[in-house]
Amino acid sequence: QVQLVESGGGLVQAGGSLRLSCAASGRTFSNYVMGWFRQAPGKERELAAAISFGGTNTYYADSVKGRFTISRDNAKNTVFLQMNSLKPEDTAVYYCAASHYRNMRTDISGYQYWGQGTQVTVSS
């Protein structure tokens, strides 16, 4: 089992920045691909960004590319999502998730462990 706890969400004005953190406990953190998903009201949950075991490979949804940066610190069992130039359409609950697959998955079913989510609200 892997336990994931997100933090760092909040209310920010458009153009602002937030940094989300996800602390993991349980099994060896570096054995998991990590992802940040988000779910806006009335919409499906979607993958915003993902990062490989060692952090060398990353994935970004087109909607966040160039504005968001995912990173991880395996020594501290933590994954981060730096969000810059935030837009009202980035408003969502953001979830941290862990995948035991060696290839980076972009689908929800590829992730076995989930945090409870943190709310990000961007005002216009």
Side-chain angles (χ1 to χ4, degrees):
Q1 285 282 1
V2 176
Q3 292 77 42
L4 303 171
V5 179
E6 304 98 335
S7 61
L11 173 64
V12 64
Q13 288 188 334
S17 298
L18 281 175
R19 188 191 196 203
L20 305 183
S21 298
C22 173
S25 61
R27 295 186 177 178
T28 305
F29 178 70
S30 58
N31 288 345
Y32 293 87
V33 169
M34 298 300 297
W36 282 99
F37 285 77
R38 65 184 186 178
Q39 187 166 19
K43 294 190 176 181
E44 293 185 352
R45 192 172 298 188
E46 62 174 2
L47 179 64
I51 189 166
S52 60
F53 306 116
T56 54
N57 296 320
T58 56
Y59 163 88
Y60 294 98
D62 287 343
S63 57
V64 308
K65 204 171 291 184
R67 300 186 298 121
F68 290 11
T69 302
I70 189 171
S71 61
R72 66 190 296 162
D73 185 339
N74 286 344
K76 296 183 178 180
N77 293 349
T78 305
V79 62
F80 305 96
L81 186 67
Q82 178 67 44
M83 305 185 295
N84 298 329
S85 302
L86 282 162
K87 304 175 181 180
E89 51 263 44
D90 294 318
T91 295
V93 177
Y94 284 71
Y95 297 91
C96 175
S99 170
H100 62 211
Y101 293 106
R102 295 196 65 81
N103 58 313
M104 192 178 297
R105 298 279 294 266
T106 59
D107 56 310
I108 292 174
S109 61
Y111 292 76
Q112 294 73 45
Y113 303 102
W114 295 83
Q116 292 190 324
T118 185
Q119 176 71 46
V120 171
T121 303
V122 184
S123 63
S124 57

